[in-house]
Amino acid sequence: AQSVAQPEDQVNVAEGNPLTVKCTYSVSGNPYLFWYVQYPNRGLQFLLKYITGDNLVKGSYGFEAEFNKSQTSFHLKKPSALVSDSALYFCAVNHNQGGKLIFGQGTELSVKP
Amino acid sequence: NAGVTQTPKFQVLKTGQSMTLQCAQDMNHEYMSWYRQDPGMGLRLIHYSVGAGITDQGEVPNGYNVSRSTTEDFPLRLLSAAPSQTSVYFCASSYSSPTGVFGNTIYFGEGSWLTVV
């Protein structure tokens, strides 16, 4: 069965510092990986996805994520965090054999001035 | 372009009451789905539809019904509300199956906050 884990419930970063939000996955086929962001009292917004090709994926708002097949990870990164990046981040996984899109439990990112 | 529109945004129900959460999309997407979001559990799929007239169950379908009479609309019905259904509900749509071979992006509505007392 496919699954996705976000090992950190919360990540705290100072503004201007780099940030990483971790995600690991388990699927039986080739994974399709997604990152979504949720601002308070709002729906989820798509950030980026990995389907195939270059392991480094660039997305919205300066975020990027690196697909690492050997470590089964898809960590979200940003070189310089902004206070406005504070939100709830979800990793999600599917695979090319069909099935459902599975979401991680979410990581609360807090960026302090 | 409104995207995915959900109503109502907030609702309080008494145990045993029924209600319908409305969802509409204007992107001509074939696939629509309903998720519920609970603290520490991420999003869990309730029901989904691959096109008008076709629906199927997700991970947590009990206590919910859906129908898909048009491409645009995908209402979620709570038959007899229970406190365990207190949650945030998200409707979503995508061009093709979000679980299909092309990894299509899902677009979410703004959410409906439901409290059952």
Side-chain angles (χ1 to χ4, degrees), chain A residues 47-113:
Chain A
L47 275 179
L48 51 81
K49 65 182 177 184
Y50 171 83
I51 305 300
T52 187
D54 194 347
N55 290 343
L56 184 63
V57 179
K58 294 188 183 297
S60 306
Y61 312 122
F63 283 93
E64 58 188 27
E66 185 169 12
F67 170 63
N68 187 318
K69 189 172 184 178
S70 63
Q71 297 186 1
T72 62
S73 67
F74 189 57
H75 301 331
L76 181 70
K77 299 182 180 182
K78 187 173 183 181
S80 179
L82 300 172
V83 173
S84 58
D85 292 329
S86 298
L88 186 58
Y89 290 80
F90 288 96
C91 181
V93 66
N94 183 30
H95 60 83
N96 65 351
Q97 302 301 315
K100 300 179 179 62
L101 189 63
I102 303 297
F103 285 85
Q105 66 268 43
T107 298
E108 186 81 40
L109 173 66
S110 177
V111 182
K112 300 295 186 185

Short mmCIF file of all heavy atoms in Angstrom, two decimals, chain A residues 47-113:
data_model
loop_
_atom_site.label_atom_id
_atom_site.label_comp_id
_atom_site.label_asym_id
_atom_site.label_seq_id
_atom_site.Cartn_x
_atom_site.Cartn_y
_atom_site.Cartn_z
N LEU A 47 1.58 23.67 -5.14
CA LEU A 47 2.89 24.29 -5.19
C LEU A 47 3.75 23.73 -6.32
O LEU A 47 4.31 24.48 -7.12
CB LEU A 47 3.64 24.07 -3.87
CG LEU A 47 3.38 25.04 -2.73
CD1 LEU A 47 4.22 24.62 -1.52
CD2 LEU A 47 3.67 26.47 -3.12
N LEU A 48 3.87 22.41 -6.35
CA LEU A 48 4.71 21.78 -7.35
C LEU A 48 4.46 20.28 -7.36
O LEU A 48 3.82 19.75 -6.45
CB LEU A 48 6.20 22.06 -7.09
CG LEU A 48 6.74 21.79 -5.68
CD1 LEU A 48 7.05 20.32 -5.46
CD2 LEU A 48 7.99 22.63 -5.42
N LYS A 49 4.96 19.64 -8.41
CA LYS A 49 4.81 18.19 -8.50
C LYS A 49 6.00 17.58 -9.24
O LYS A 49 6.65 18.24 -10.06
CB LYS A 49 3.51 17.81 -9.21
CG LYS A 49 3.44 18.22 -10.68
CD LYS A 49 2.08 17.82 -11.27
CE LYS A 49 1.95 18.28 -12.71
NZ LYS A 49 0.59 17.96 -13.26
N TYR A 50 6.26 16.33 -8.92
CA TYR A 50 7.25 15.54 -9.64
C TYR A 50 6.53 14.39 -10.30
O TYR A 50 5.84 13.61 -9.64
CB TYR A 50 8.33 15.01 -8.70
CG TYR A 50 9.23 14.02 -9.39
CD1 TYR A 50 10.30 14.46 -10.18
CD2 TYR A 50 9.00 12.65 -9.31
CE1 TYR A 50 11.11 13.57 -10.84
CE2 TYR A 50 9.81 11.74 -9.97
CZ TYR A 50 10.85 12.20 -10.75
OH TYR A 50 11.64 11.31 -11.42
N ILE A 51 6.73 14.28 -11.62
CA ILE A 51 6.16 13.16 -12.37
C ILE A 51 7.30 12.31 -12.92
O ILE A 51 7.34 11.10 -12.72
CB ILE A 51 5.25 13.65 -13.51
CG1 ILE A 51 4.16 14.58 -12.95
CG2 ILE A 51 4.62 12.47 -14.25
CD1 ILE A 51 3.27 13.94 -11.93
N THR A 52 8.19 12.96 -13.62
CA THR A 52 9.34 12.27 -14.18
C THR A 52 10.37 13.32 -14.56
O THR A 52 10.10 14.52 -14.50
CB THR A 52 8.93 11.43 -15.41
OG1 THR A 52 10.05 10.64 -15.83
CG2 THR A 52 8.50 12.32 -16.56
N GLY A 53 11.58 12.90 -14.93
CA GLY A 53 12.57 13.84 -15.41
C GLY A 53 13.49 14.35 -14.32
O GLY A 53 13.87 13.61 -13.40
N ASP A 54 13.84 15.62 -14.41
CA ASP A 54 14.79 16.24 -13.50
C ASP A 54 14.35 16.06 -12.05
O ASP A 54 13.19 16.33 -11.71
CB ASP A 54 14.90 17.73 -13.83
CG ASP A 54 16.11 18.39 -13.17
OD1 ASP A 54 16.70 17.77 -12.26
OD2 ASP A 54 16.44 19.52 -13.55
N ASN A 55 15.29 15.65 -11.21
CA ASN A 55 14.95 15.39 -9.81
C ASN A 55 14.64 16.66 -9.03
O ASN A 55 13.99 16.61 -7.99
CB ASN A 55 16.08 14.64 -9.12
CG ASN A 55 16.19 13.21 -9.61
OD1 ASN A 55 15.26 12.68 -10.23
ND2 ASN A 55 17.32 12.59 -9.35
N LEU A 56 15.12 17.80 -9.50
CA LEU A 56 14.85 19.07 -8.83
C LEU A 56 13.68 19.74 -9.53
O LEU A 56 13.76 20.08 -10.70
CB LEU A 56 16.09 19.96 -8.84
CG LEU A 56 15.95 21.28 -8.07
CD1 LEU A 56 15.74 21.00 -6.58
CD2 LEU A 56 17.18 22.15 -8.29
N VAL A 57 12.62 19.95 -8.77
CA VAL A 57 11.41 20.53 -9.32
C VAL A 57 11.22 21.92 -8.73
O VAL A 57 11.30 22.10 -7.52
CB VAL A 57 10.18 19.66 -8.98
CG1 VAL A 57 8.92 20.29 -9.54
CG2 VAL A 57 10.37 18.25 -9.51
N LYS A 58 10.96 22.88 -9.58
CA LYS A 58 10.72 24.25 -9.12
C LYS A 58 9.23 24.54 -9.19
O LYS A 58 8.54 24.13 -10.14
CB LYS A 58 11.51 25.24 -9.96
CG LYS A 58 13.02 25.10 -9.78
CD LYS A 58 13.78 26.21 -10.47
CE LYS A 58 15.28 26.01 -10.33
NZ LYS A 58 15.71 26.08 -8.91
N GLY A 59 8.74 25.25 -8.16
CA GLY A 59 7.32 25.53 -8.11
C GLY A 59 7.01 26.98 -7.84
O GLY A 59 7.83 27.86 -8.06
N SER A 60 5.84 27.19 -7.29
CA SER A 60 5.35 28.55 -7.03
C SER A 60 6.06 29.15 -5.81
O SER A 60 6.57 28.43 -4.95
CB SER A 60 3.85 28.52 -6.76
OG SER A 60 3.15 27.89 -7.81
N TYR A 61 6.06 30.50 -5.76
CA TYR A 61 6.53 31.27 -4.61
C TYR A 61 7.98 30.98 -4.23
O TYR A 61 8.36 31.15 -3.08
CB TYR A 61 5.62 31.02 -3.40
CG TYR A 61 4.15 31.12 -3.69
CD1 TYR A 61 3.30 30.05 -3.45
CD2 TYR A 61 3.60 32.28 -4.23
CE1 TYR A 61 1.95 30.12 -3.73
CE2 TYR A 61 2.24 32.37 -4.51
CZ TYR A 61 1.43 31.29 -4.26
OH TYR A 61 0.09 31.37 -4.55
N GLY A 62 8.80 30.53 -5.19
CA GLY A 62 10.20 30.30 -4.92
C GLY A 62 10.54 28.96 -4.29
O GLY A 62 11.69 28.70 -3.93
N PHE A 63 9.52 28.12 -4.13
CA PHE A 63 9.76 26.80 -3.55
C PHE A 63 10.31 25.82 -4.60
O PHE A 63 10.03 25.95 -5.79
CB PHE A 63 8.46 26.23 -2.97
CG PHE A 63 8.08 26.83 -1.66
CD1 PHE A 63 7.21 27.92 -1.62
CD2 PHE A 63 8.56 26.31 -0.47
CE1 PHE A 63 6.86 28.48 -0.41
CE2 PHE A 63 8.21 26.86 0.74
CZ PHE A 63 7.36 27.96 0.77
N GLU A 64 11.04 24.85 -4.10
CA GLU A 64 11.52 23.77 -4.94
C GLU A 64 11.53 22.49 -4.11
O GLU A 64 11.47 22.54 -2.87
CB GLU A 64 12.92 24.07 -5.49
CG GLU A 64 13.97 24.31 -4.44
CD GLU A 64 15.28 24.80 -5.03
OE1 GLU A 64 15.26 25.43 -6.12
OE2 GLU A 64 16.32 24.56 -4.41
N ALA A 65 11.59 21.37 -4.79
CA ALA A 65 11.64 20.10 -4.08
C ALA A 65 12.55 19.15 -4.85
O ALA A 65 12.62 19.20 -6.08
CB ALA A 65 10.24 19.50 -3.94
N GLU A 66 13.22 18.31 -4.09
CA GLU A 66 14.15 17.37 -4.70
C GLU A 66 13.66 15.95 -4.51
O GLU A 66 13.45 15.49 -3.38
CB GLU A 66 15.55 17.52 -4.10
CG GLU A 66 16.58 16.63 -4.82
CD GLU A 66 18.00 16.96 -4.42
OE1 GLU A 66 18.18 17.70 -3.45
OE2 GLU A 66 18.92 16.47 -5.10
N PHE A 67 13.48 15.27 -5.61
CA PHE A 67 13.09 13.87 -5.60
C PHE A 67 14.33 13.01 -5.43
O PHE A 67 15.30 13.13 -6.19
CB PHE A 67 12.38 13.52 -6.90
CG PHE A 67 12.13 12.05 -7.10
CD1 PHE A 67 11.30 11.35 -6.22
CD2 PHE A 67 12.73 11.35 -8.14
CE1 PHE A 67 11.07 10.00 -6.40
CE2 PHE A 67 12.50 10.00 -8.33
CZ PHE A 67 11.67 9.33 -7.45
N ASN A 68 14.33 12.16 -4.41
CA ASN A 68 15.45 11.27 -4.16
C ASN A 68 14.92 9.84 -4.09
O ASN A 68 14.32 9.44 -3.10
CB ASN A 68 16.16 11.65 -2.85
CG ASN A 68 17.44 10.87 -2.64
OD1 ASN A 68 17.49 9.68 -2.89
ND2 ASN A 68 18.47 11.55 -2.18
N LYS A 69 15.14 9.12 -5.18
CA LYS A 69 14.55 7.78 -5.27
C LYS A 69 15.17 6.81 -4.28
O LYS A 69 14.46 5.99 -3.67
CB LYS A 69 14.71 7.23 -6.70
CG LYS A 69 13.93 5.96 -6.96
CD LYS A 69 13.97 5.57 -8.41
CE LYS A 69 13.11 4.33 -8.65
NZ LYS A 69 13.07 3.95 -10.09
N SER A 70 16.46 6.90 -4.06
CA SER A 70 17.13 5.96 -3.17
C SER A 70 16.69 6.15 -1.72
O SER A 70 16.60 5.19 -0.96
CB SER A 70 18.64 6.09 -3.28
OG SER A 70 19.06 7.38 -2.88
N GLN A 71 16.41 7.39 -1.35
CA GLN A 71 15.94 7.67 0.01
C GLN A 71 14.43 7.79 0.09
O GLN A 71 13.90 8.07 1.16
CB GLN A 71 16.59 8.97 0.51
CG GLN A 71 18.11 8.89 0.62
CD GLN A 71 18.73 10.11 1.26
OE1 GLN A 71 18.03 11.04 1.65
NE2 GLN A 71 20.05 10.13 1.36
N THR A 72 13.75 7.58 -1.00
CA THR A 72 12.29 7.72 -1.10
C THR A 72 11.82 8.99 -0.41
O THR A 72 10.94 8.97 0.46
CB THR A 72 11.55 6.49 -0.55
OG1 THR A 72 11.85 6.33 0.85
CG2 THR A 72 11.92 5.24 -1.30
N SER A 73 12.43 10.10 -0.80
CA SER A 73 12.08 11.38 -0.19
C SER A 73 11.75 12.42 -1.24
O SER A 73 12.16 12.31 -2.40
CB SER A 73 13.22 11.86 0.70
OG SER A 73 14.36 12.19 -0.09
N PHE A 74 11.02 13.42 -0.80
CA PHE A 74 10.63 14.54 -1.68
C PHE A 74 10.53 15.77 -0.79
O PHE A 74 9.45 16.29 -0.55
CB PHE A 74 9.32 14.21 -2.38
CG PHE A 74 8.95 15.19 -3.47
CD1 PHE A 74 9.79 15.44 -4.54
CD2 PHE A 74 7.70 15.82 -3.46
CE1 PHE A 74 9.43 16.32 -5.55
CE2 PHE A 74 7.33 16.70 -4.47
CZ PHE A 74 8.19 16.95 -5.51
N HIS A 75 11.65 16.26 -0.31
CA HIS A 75 11.67 17.37 0.63
C HIS A 75 11.43 18.70 -0.07
O HIS A 75 12.00 18.96 -1.14
CB HIS A 75 13.00 17.42 1.38
CG HIS A 75 13.31 16.18 2.16
ND1 HIS A 75 12.33 15.35 2.69
CD2 HIS A 75 14.50 15.61 2.49
CE1 HIS A 75 12.89 14.35 3.31
NE2 HIS A 75 14.22 14.47 3.21
N LEU A 76 10.65 19.52 0.57
CA LEU A 76 10.36 20.87 0.05
C LEU A 76 11.38 21.84 0.62
O LEU A 76 11.67 21.82 1.82
CB LEU A 76 8.94 21.27 0.49
CG LEU A 76 8.44 22.63 0.02
CD1 LEU A 76 8.18 22.61 -1.49
CD2 LEU A 76 7.16 23.00 0.76
N LYS A 77 11.87 22.73 -0.24
CA LYS A 77 12.92 23.65 0.19
C LYS A 77 12.67 25.05 -0.36
O LYS A 77 12.00 25.22 -1.39
CB LYS A 77 14.29 23.16 -0.28
CG LYS A 77 14.68 21.80 0.27
CD LYS A 77 16.06 21.37 -0.19
CE LYS A 77 16.40 20.00 0.38
NZ LYS A 77 17.76 19.56 0.00
N LYS A 78 13.26 26.01 0.35
CA LYS A 78 13.26 27.39 -0.13
C LYS A 78 14.52 28.04 0.40
O LYS A 78 14.83 27.92 1.60
CB LYS A 78 12.02 28.14 0.33
CG LYS A 78 11.89 29.53 -0.29
CD LYS A 78 10.56 30.17 0.06
CE LYS A 78 10.43 31.52 -0.64
NZ LYS A 78 9.17 32.21 -0.30
N PRO A 79 15.28 28.74 -0.43
CA PRO A 79 16.58 29.27 0.00
C PRO A 79 16.47 30.35 1.09
O PRO A 79 17.35 30.46 1.93
CB PRO A 79 17.16 29.86 -1.29
CG PRO A 79 16.43 29.19 -2.39
CD PRO A 79 15.06 28.92 -1.87
N SER A 80 15.40 31.15 1.04
CA SER A 80 15.27 32.26 1.97
C SER A 80 13.80 32.39 2.38
O SER A 80 12.96 32.80 1.57
CB SER A 80 15.77 33.55 1.33
OG SER A 80 15.63 34.64 2.21
N ALA A 81 13.49 32.05 3.61
CA ALA A 81 12.10 32.01 4.07
C ALA A 81 11.54 33.42 4.29
O ALA A 81 12.25 34.34 4.71
CB ALA A 81 12.00 31.21 5.35
N LEU A 82 10.25 33.55 4.03
CA LEU A 82 9.51 34.78 4.30
C LEU A 82 8.47 34.53 5.38
O LEU A 82 7.95 33.40 5.49
CB LEU A 82 8.81 35.27 3.04
CG LEU A 82 9.68 35.59 1.83
CD1 LEU A 82 8.80 35.88 0.61
CD2 LEU A 82 10.59 36.77 2.12
N VAL A 83 8.14 35.56 6.13
CA VAL A 83 7.08 35.42 7.14
C VAL A 83 5.79 34.95 6.48
O VAL A 83 5.04 34.14 7.05
CB VAL A 83 6.87 36.75 7.89
CG1 VAL A 83 5.66 36.67 8.81
CG2 VAL A 83 8.12 37.11 8.69
N SER A 84 5.55 35.41 5.28
CA SER A 84 4.32 35.04 4.56
C SER A 84 4.30 33.58 4.11
O SER A 84 3.27 33.10 3.64
CB SER A 84 4.14 35.94 3.34
OG SER A 84 5.26 35.84 2.48
N ASP A 85 5.42 32.87 4.27
CA ASP A 85 5.44 31.43 3.97
C ASP A 85 4.82 30.61 5.09
O ASP A 85 4.61 29.41 4.93
CB ASP A 85 6.88 30.95 3.74
CG ASP A 85 7.50 31.51 2.48
OD1 ASP A 85 6.75 31.77 1.51
OD2 ASP A 85 8.73 31.71 2.47
N SER A 86 4.55 31.22 6.22
CA SER A 86 3.96 30.51 7.35
C SER A 86 2.60 29.95 6.94
O SER A 86 1.70 30.68 6.55
CB SER A 86 3.79 31.46 8.54
OG SER A 86 5.05 31.95 8.97
N ALA A 87 2.49 28.64 7.03
CA ALA A 87 1.28 27.95 6.58
C ALA A 87 1.42 26.47 6.90
O ALA A 87 2.43 26.04 7.45
CB ALA A 87 1.06 28.15 5.07
N LEU A 88 0.40 25.72 6.50
CA LEU A 88 0.41 24.27 6.66
C LEU A 88 0.75 23.65 5.30
O LEU A 88 0.12 24.00 4.29
CB LEU A 88 -0.96 23.80 7.14
CG LEU A 88 -1.17 22.33 7.50
CD1 LEU A 88 -0.22 21.90 8.59
CD2 LEU A 88 -2.61 22.11 7.95
N TYR A 89 1.73 22.77 5.28
CA TYR A 89 2.21 22.18 4.04
C TYR A 89 1.92 20.69 4.02
O TYR A 89 2.18 19.97 4.98
CB TYR A 89 3.71 22.43 3.87
CG TYR A 89 4.02 23.88 3.60
CD1 TYR A 89 4.06 24.79 4.65
CD2 TYR A 89 4.23 24.34 2.31
CE1 TYR A 89 4.31 26.14 4.41
CE2 TYR A 89 4.49 25.67 2.06
CZ TYR A 89 4.52 26.57 3.11
OH TYR A 89 4.76 27.90 2.86
N PHE A 90 1.37 20.25 2.87
CA PHE A 90 1.02 18.84 2.71
C PHE A 90 1.79 18.24 1.54
O PHE A 90 1.83 18.80 0.44
CB PHE A 90 -0.47 18.68 2.41
CG PHE A 90 -1.36 18.94 3.58
CD1 PHE A 90 -1.95 20.18 3.76
CD2 PHE A 90 -1.63 17.94 4.51
CE1 PHE A 90 -2.79 20.42 4.84
CE2 PHE A 90 -2.45 18.17 5.59
CZ PHE A 90 -3.03 19.42 5.76
N CYS A 91 2.35 17.07 1.79
CA CYS A 91 2.93 16.26 0.75
C CYS A 91 1.91 15.19 0.36
O CYS A 91 1.14 14.72 1.21
CB CYS A 91 4.20 15.60 1.28
SG CYS A 91 5.09 14.56 0.12
N ALA A 92 1.86 14.83 -0.92
CA ALA A 92 0.92 13.81 -1.36
C ALA A 92 1.59 12.93 -2.40
O ALA A 92 2.48 13.38 -3.13
CB ALA A 92 -0.34 14.45 -1.95
N VAL A 93 1.16 11.68 -2.46
CA VAL A 93 1.80 10.72 -3.36
C VAL A 93 0.77 9.86 -4.05
O VAL A 93 -0.26 9.50 -3.49
CB VAL A 93 2.80 9.83 -2.59
CG1 VAL A 93 2.09 8.94 -1.58
CG2 VAL A 93 3.63 9.00 -3.56
N ASN A 94 1.06 9.55 -5.28
CA ASN A 94 0.32 8.57 -6.03
C ASN A 94 1.37 7.81 -6.84
O ASN A 94 2.55 8.10 -6.76
CB ASN A 94 -0.69 9.23 -6.96
CG ASN A 94 -1.53 8.21 -7.69
OD1 ASN A 94 -1.77 7.12 -7.17
ND2 ASN A 94 -1.95 8.53 -8.88
N HIS A 95 0.95 6.87 -7.63
CA HIS A 95 1.92 6.18 -8.46
C HIS A 95 1.27 5.81 -9.77
O HIS A 95 0.05 5.93 -9.94
CB HIS A 95 2.48 4.93 -7.76
CG HIS A 95 1.42 3.93 -7.40
ND1 HIS A 95 0.94 3.00 -8.29
CD2 HIS A 95 0.75 3.71 -6.24
CE1 HIS A 95 0.03 2.25 -7.69
NE2 HIS A 95 -0.10 2.66 -6.47
N ASN A 96 2.07 5.39 -10.70
CA ASN A 96 1.57 5.22 -12.06
C ASN A 96 0.80 3.94 -12.27
O ASN A 96 0.47 3.58 -13.38
CB ASN A 96 2.71 5.35 -13.07
CG ASN A 96 3.72 4.22 -12.91
OD1 ASN A 96 3.65 3.45 -11.95
ND2 ASN A 96 4.65 4.13 -13.82
N GLN A 97 0.51 3.25 -11.20
CA GLN A 97 -0.32 2.07 -11.31
C GLN A 97 -1.76 2.36 -10.88
O GLN A 97 -2.55 1.46 -10.70
CB GLN A 97 0.25 0.94 -10.43
CG GLN A 97 1.68 0.57 -10.79
CD GLN A 97 1.82 0.11 -12.22
OE1 GLN A 97 1.02 -0.67 -12.72
NE2 GLN A 97 2.83 0.63 -12.91
N GLY A 98 -2.07 3.65 -10.75
CA GLY A 98 -3.41 4.01 -10.33
C GLY A 98 -3.55 4.07 -8.83
O GLY A 98 -2.57 4.15 -8.12
N GLY A 99 -4.76 4.03 -8.33
CA GLY A 99 -4.98 4.12 -6.89
C GLY A 99 -5.31 5.53 -6.47
O GLY A 99 -5.52 6.41 -7.29
N LYS A 100 -5.33 5.76 -5.21
CA LYS A 100 -5.77 7.04 -4.69
C LYS A 100 -4.58 7.94 -4.38
O LYS A 100 -3.47 7.48 -4.15
CB LYS A 100 -6.61 6.82 -3.44
CG LYS A 100 -7.86 5.98 -3.70
CD LYS A 100 -8.65 5.77 -2.44
CE LYS A 100 -9.90 4.95 -2.72
NZ LYS A 100 -9.59 3.61 -3.23
N LEU A 101 -4.85 9.22 -4.36
CA LEU A 101 -3.85 10.20 -3.95
C LEU A 101 -3.85 10.24 -2.43
O LEU A 101 -4.88 10.49 -1.82
CB LEU A 101 -4.20 11.57 -4.53
CG LEU A 101 -3.17 12.67 -4.37
CD1 LEU A 101 -1.89 12.32 -5.10
CD2 LEU A 101 -3.74 13.97 -4.87
N ILE A 102 -2.70 9.97 -1.83
CA ILE A 102 -2.60 9.90 -0.38
C ILE A 102 -1.84 11.13 0.13
O ILE A 102 -0.75 11.44 -0.35
CB ILE A 102 -1.86 8.62 0.06
CG1 ILE A 102 -2.58 7.38 -0.48
CG2 ILE A 102 -1.73 8.57 1.57
CD1 ILE A 102 -3.98 7.22 0.05
N PHE A 103 -2.42 11.78 1.14
CA PHE A 103 -1.81 12.97 1.72
C PHE A 103 -1.09 12.62 3.02
O PHE A 103 -1.53 11.76 3.79
CB PHE A 103 -2.87 14.03 2.01
CG PHE A 103 -3.38 14.73 0.80
CD1 PHE A 103 -4.39 14.19 0.02
CD2 PHE A 103 -2.83 15.95 0.40
CE1 PHE A 103 -4.85 14.84 -1.11
CE2 PHE A 103 -3.29 16.60 -0.72
CZ PHE A 103 -4.30 16.05 -1.49
N GLY A 104 0.01 13.33 3.27
CA GLY A 104 0.63 13.27 4.58
C GLY A 104 -0.19 14.03 5.59
O GLY A 104 -1.20 14.67 5.25
N GLN A 105 0.23 13.99 6.84
CA GLN A 105 -0.56 14.60 7.90
C GLN A 105 -0.37 16.10 8.00
O GLN A 105 -1.08 16.77 8.74
CB GLN A 105 -0.25 13.93 9.25
CG GLN A 105 1.16 14.17 9.73
CD GLN A 105 2.12 13.09 9.28
OE1 GLN A 105 2.10 12.65 8.13
NE2 GLN A 105 2.98 12.64 10.17
N GLY A 106 0.60 16.62 7.25
CA GLY A 106 0.80 18.06 7.24
C GLY A 106 1.91 18.50 8.17
O GLY A 106 2.14 17.89 9.22
N THR A 107 2.61 19.56 7.77
CA THR A 107 3.65 20.18 8.59
C THR A 107 3.37 21.66 8.70
O THR A 107 3.21 22.34 7.67
CB THR A 107 5.05 19.98 7.98
OG1 THR A 107 5.34 18.58 7.93
CG2 THR A 107 6.11 20.71 8.80
N GLU A 108 3.30 22.15 9.92
CA GLU A 108 3.05 23.57 10.16
C GLU A 108 4.38 24.31 10.09
O GLU A 108 5.28 24.05 10.90
CB GLU A 108 2.41 23.76 11.53
CG GLU A 108 1.99 25.18 11.83
CD GLU A 108 0.66 25.54 11.19
OE1 GLU A 108 -0.24 24.70 11.19
OE2 GLU A 108 0.54 26.67 10.65
N LEU A 109 4.52 25.20 9.14
CA LEU A 109 5.73 26.01 9.01
C LEU A 109 5.49 27.37 9.63
O LEU A 109 4.52 28.06 9.29
CB LEU A 109 6.10 26.17 7.53
CG LEU A 109 7.27 27.13 7.24
CD1 LEU A 109 8.57 26.57 7.80
CD2 LEU A 109 7.40 27.38 5.74
N SER A 110 6.37 27.75 10.53
CA SER A 110 6.29 29.05 11.17
C SER A 110 7.59 29.81 10.91
O SER A 110 8.66 29.34 11.28
CB SER A 110 6.06 28.90 12.67
OG SER A 110 6.06 30.16 13.31
N VAL A 111 7.47 30.94 10.24
CA VAL A 111 8.63 31.78 9.94
C VAL A 111 8.53 33.05 10.77
O VAL A 111 7.57 33.81 10.64
CB VAL A 111 8.69 32.12 8.43
CG1 VAL A 111 9.94 32.95 8.14
CG2 VAL A 111 8.67 30.86 7.58
N LYS A 112 9.53 33.26 11.63
CA LYS A 112 9.52 34.41 12.52
C LYS A 112 10.43 35.51 11.99
O LYS A 112 11.48 35.22 11.42
CB LYS A 112 10.00 33.99 13.91
CG LYS A 112 9.14 32.92 14.56
CD LYS A 112 7.75 33.41 14.87
CE LYS A 112 6.97 32.37 15.64
NZ LYS A 112 5.55 32.79 15.84
N PRO A 113 10.03 36.77 12.21
CA PRO A 113 10.86 37.90 11.74
C PRO A 113 12.21 37.94 12.43
O PRO A 113 12.35 37.50 13.58
CB PRO A 113 10.03 39.13 12.11
CG PRO A 113 8.67 38.64 12.38
CD PRO A 113 8.80 37.21 12.82
#
